Amino acid sequence: MKKYKTTEEVEVPKRVIDQVIGQDKSVEVIKKAARQRRHILLIGPPGTGKSMLAQGMAELLPVKDLEDMLVYPNELNENEPVVRTVPTYPTKEWLQKNPQFMRYYSAQELAAIDLFSEKKDYASMATLLKIGLGRRVVSIKEKEEEKANIVPYILLLLALIGIGLFVFPIEENVRWFALALLLGFGFLYIFSSLFSNIGRFPFKRDMGPKLIVDNSGNIKAPFVDGTGTKAGALLGDVKHDPLQSGGLGTPSHLRVEAGSVHKANKGVLFIDEIASLKLNWQQEILTAMQEKKYSITGQSEMSSGALVKTTPAPTDFVLIAAGNFQDLQSIHPALRSRIRGAGYEIYMETDMDDNEQNREKLVRFVAQEVVRDGRIPHFTRQAVDEIITEAKKMAGRKGKLTMNLRELGGLVRAAGDIAIEKNSKYVLPEHVVDAKKVFSPVEFQIAEKMAEQKKEYQVFLNRGYATGRVNGLAVLGHSWKGILLPIVAEVTPASSKEEGKVIATGKLGKIAKEAVSNVSAILKKYAGKNITREDVHIQFLQTYEGVEGDSASVSVAVAVISASEGIPVDQSIGMTGSLDVRGEVLPVGGVSAKVEAAVDAGIKTVIVPDKNIGEVYLPEKKRKKIKVVGAKNIVDVIKYALRQCRKKNQLLKRMKTGFRS
């Protein structure tokens, strides 16, 4: 890959399991589980490859085990149809044990079955035969019924005509009237018998089997996505027939419909967001897993289908359930216990190391997305580099690449669409840059609008000095859109004789309030301030959407120290960072978005936690406009943020003494 110029030179694996990026541990477990037919519980955030792993397992299961499912009428009990299975592609050995099914194949097909059975090449057998045994049985049975029924209809028609012409000794006019009446009745009788299932007629149709699971054409094990399905679609159902009373309706076996648990027989049943299923449905899935068979019945108590219950239908599937970490408590305990007892639980990786090997995986990922989409051009090497840079930014951690490949794939397609719009043969770096603007989610777009509104009122300063005023940086909601967060502080005589208070105004969350309270410890120990006789007022300006988290605690501390000591703050500096009670600056999230917001606001320097310094990823144009400084503790922040003066030197001396003690 070191020499590639465009992604069309990159080889894309054919198997889905080999296309999974960055989940090496999970892939190994899936391969083990496929060999032993183990169940899997995948836990992790969306977009990390859970559904691809499930599809990959279906590829690894043997195709020779595929089965078609037929439902037959039960002569002894019409409300208990009989379910039978036949192999979709029978082997030579199976046909020898069941010779009655040989008639469904031609001599050439039987010879091919013998050949492929000896070679154990079941995929080639499936490709050659195409039509499964279940479909063949139903098709030939229907043809036999049609041939058997045509003679009685013709005889009945002749009998009716004979009766009208020769039996009744009546006048000519009446004879013709009777003949017309009988002929009309005869045609009505034949029409009803042919095109309806009225059970009272002597020539019943559709009494042959119904195919409810058909694997014809499949060359790999079934993969059934049962996510978001209702009870009937998941567990099987029996249709309601309003004409069922009195025997005038459709036979019971013809109203049976297989569910996902039956269609996944010998394959994989994938259920994403497993915790969203009702607990009783999860219990039924557990029953199907344990017994490997599950009878089909009507899911509505008010339906005639509730009277029908088939014999047990096979449900020998591998369950791959998926969800988020917070959903674990909503998963049926017995179902989770069954998975753990007969399978594996896997936590999906959310990022991977930023090294050459993993960057090459992202190159292959871009090539895969281009091939999978089929409507966008390939990427140049430089365009892929832009995608990798975005992967670093989305990871939010130093030396990491994001594993949220669904979001990254959306950026790939957006860039491809822009390249198509501009009639470019390949996707270029500028197309990726433009795609970032249109690719952003709705939350990000809303955040941009709110940031623009803040700029209109210009409540922040980006030049000069001001006492007790700091340009903090924050991320707006879950949008990962950075905004400037102006913070002002004022120190006044205490309103209470007993003690001073720290009063914070603005829409603050619980963590943010606790972070503000911790600032008093910094003032007492490191700044040497006695605040028992002073009230400290802190205001977060224009925080209509709320503030949560502790990443503004560094900004709050600087604002309070500035107001208390009377030392102005450089307004061309923005800052972010969490502050512990000992004065250490701790790393925070969303650093790149915050620094980018500072650039947009005209800020010249940004102070970030020293451990976040390697996590700042900016476009080249913006990187040149700002200086990023790392801080290990509050002393480092004060050195950069406050204006140089005698008071500042005295303050730093006291604070350094506090740190040494």
Side-chain angles (χ1 to χ4, degrees), residues 316-386:
D316 185 12
F317 57 81
V318 174
L319 175 67
I320 297 188
N324 300 318
F325 180 76
Q326 59 267 28
D327 295 334
L328 284 176
Q329 60 184 359
S330 300
I331 300 176
H332 197 293
L335 178 61
R336 186 179 176 192
S337 176
R338 177 66 179 178
I339 295 174
R340 292 179 65 187
Y344 302 91
E345 290 187 347
I346 302 174
Y347 186 76
M348 304 294 290
E349 299 290 342
T350 56
D351 52 45
M352 58 184 177
D353 293 335
D354 181 11
N355 54 41
E356 184 177 351
Q357 182 181 4
N358 288 334
R359 286 193 291 272
E360 287 185 352
K361 290 180 180 179
L362 287 183
V363 174
R364 195 186 73 197
F365 166 75
V366 174
Q368 288 175 185
E369 291 299 298
V370 172
V371 173
R372 184 180 290 116
D373 186 89
R375 293 172 291 178
I376 58 176
H378 280 277
F379 281 57
T380 64
R381 185 188 185 96
Q382 293 75 18
V384 174
D385 289 342
E386 286 290 337

Side-chain angles (χ1 to χ4, degrees), residues 239-425:
K239 294 179 180 178
H240 174 63
D241 188 352
L243 298 177
Q244 194 63 26
S245 59
L248 297 176
T250 305
S252 299
H253 75 288
L254 296 179
R255 297 185 286 119
V256 173
E257 299 292 339
S260 295
V261 295
H262 306 99
K263 295 176 182 177
N265 183 47
K266 302 299 182 182
V268 172
L269 174 62
F270 174 63
I271 301 180
D272 201 0
E273 305 298 339
I274 182 71
S276 65
L277 288 182
K278 296 180 180 179
L279 287 179
N280 60 319
W281 295 1
Q282 295 185 39
Q283 179 65 48
E284 298 301 324
I285 292 174
L286 174 61
T287 301
M289 288 170 54
Q290 290 176 327
E291 303 298 329
K292 298 186 185 302
K293 55 186 179 180
Y294 188 84
S295 297
I296 303 173
T297 187
Q299 293 297 324
S300 173
E301 295 181 357
M302 303 302 292
S303 167
S304 63
L307 301 174
V308 178
K309 187 176 183 180
T310 69
T311 58
T315 56
D316 185 12
F317 57 81
V318 174
L319 175 67
I320 297 188
N324 300 318
F325 180 76
Q326 59 267 28
D327 295 334
L328 284 176
Q329 60 184 359
S330 300
I331 300 176
H332 197 293
L335 178 61
R336 186 179 176 192
S337 176
R338 177 66 179 178
I339 295 174
R340 292 179 65 187
Y344 302 91
E345 290 187 347
I346 302 174
Y347 186 76
M348 304 294 290
E349 299 290 342
T350 56
D351 52 45
M352 58 184 177
D353 293 335
D354 181 11
N355 54 41
E356 184 177 351
Q357 182 181 4
N358 288 334
R359 286 193 291 272
E360 287 185 352
K361 290 180 180 179
L362 287 183
V363 174
R364 195 186 73 197
F365 166 75
V366 174
Q368 288 175 185
E369 291 299 298
V370 172
V371 173
R372 184 180 290 116
D373 186 89
R375 293 172 291 178
I376 58 176
H378 280 277
F379 281 57
T380 64
R381 185 188 185 96
Q382 293 75 18
V384 174
D385 289 342
E386 286 290 337
I387 296 292
I388 293 175
T389 300
E390 189 66 16
K392 295 178 182 180
K393 183 178 178 181
M394 291 172 63
R397 293 178 60 194
K398 183 179 180 180
K400 296 292 183 178
L401 297 168
T402 185
M403 283 303 304
N404 189 348
L405 299 182
R406 184 175 298 156
E407 293 282 340
L408 207 60
L411 178 60
V412 169
R413 280 179 281 277
D417 291 343
I418 291 175
I420 291 292
E421 183 181 3
K422 295 185 177 181
N423 297 318
S424 177
K425 184 179 179 181

Side-chain angles (χ1 to χ4, degrees), residues 343-558:
Y344 302 91
E345 290 187 347
I346 302 174
Y347 186 76
M348 304 294 290
E349 299 290 342
T350 56
D351 52 45
M352 58 184 177
D353 293 335
D354 181 11
N355 54 41
E356 184 177 351
Q357 182 181 4
N358 288 334
R359 286 193 291 272
E360 287 185 352
K361 290 180 180 179
L362 287 183
V363 174
R364 195 186 73 197
F365 166 75
V366 174
Q368 288 175 185
E369 291 299 298
V370 172
V371 173
R372 184 180 290 116
D373 186 89
R375 293 172 291 178
I376 58 176
H378 280 277
F379 281 57
T380 64
R381 185 188 185 96
Q382 293 75 18
V384 174
D385 289 342
E386 286 290 337
I387 296 292
I388 293 175
T389 300
E390 189 66 16
K392 295 178 182 180
K393 183 178 178 181
M394 291 172 63
R397 293 178 60 194
K398 183 179 180 180
K400 296 292 183 178
L401 297 168
T402 185
M403 283 303 304
N404 189 348
L405 299 182
R406 184 175 298 156
E407 293 282 340
L408 207 60
L411 178 60
V412 169
R413 280 179 281 277
D417 291 343
I418 291 175
I420 291 292
E421 183 181 3
K422 295 185 177 181
N423 297 318
S424 177
K425 184 179 179 181
Y426 297 108
V427 178
L428 305 176
E430 53 265 31
H431 299 151
V432 179
V433 174
D434 292 342
K436 293 178 185 179
K437 301 174 184 177
V438 299
F439 163 71
S440 57
V442 173
E443 294 88 349
F444 189 92
Q445 297 174 40
I446 294 173
E448 283 191 322
K449 293 293 183 182
M450 298 178 70
E452 288 176 6
Q453 293 175 3
K454 289 178 181 290
K455 289 180 183 179
E456 290 177 3
Y457 295 103
Q458 196 71 18
V459 296
F460 63 88
L461 303 176
N462 55 16
R463 63 185 66 182
Y465 293 87
T467 302
R469 188 182 186 98
V470 172
N471 289 321
L473 298 170
V475 174
L476 193 57
H478 299 286
S479 65
W480 290 105
K481 167 65 179 176
I483 59 169
L484 210 65
L485 183 66
I487 300 171
V488 295
E490 191 63 68
V491 177
T492 63
S495 58
S496 172
K497 295 181 180 180
E498 288 78 16
E499 61 177 351
K501 299 178 180 180
V502 177
I503 304 168
T505 57
K507 191 177 179 182
L508 306 184
K510 181 179 179 181
I511 299 176
K513 289 180 180 178
E514 292 175 351
V516 169
S517 300
N518 290 339
V519 171
S520 60
I522 307 296
L523 296 173
K524 292 175 183 177
K525 182 172 183 179
Y526 302 113
K529 294 290 294 183
N530 182 4
I531 61 172
T532 56
R533 296 182 180 181
E534 295 177 333
D535 285 342
V536 179
H537 297 264
I538 303 165
Q539 184 179 9
F540 292 77
L541 302 181
Q542 290 189 326
T543 54
Y544 313 119
E545 61 281 348
V547 176
E548 185 54 295
D550 60 351
S551 64
S553 53
V554 164
S555 306
V556 170
V558 172

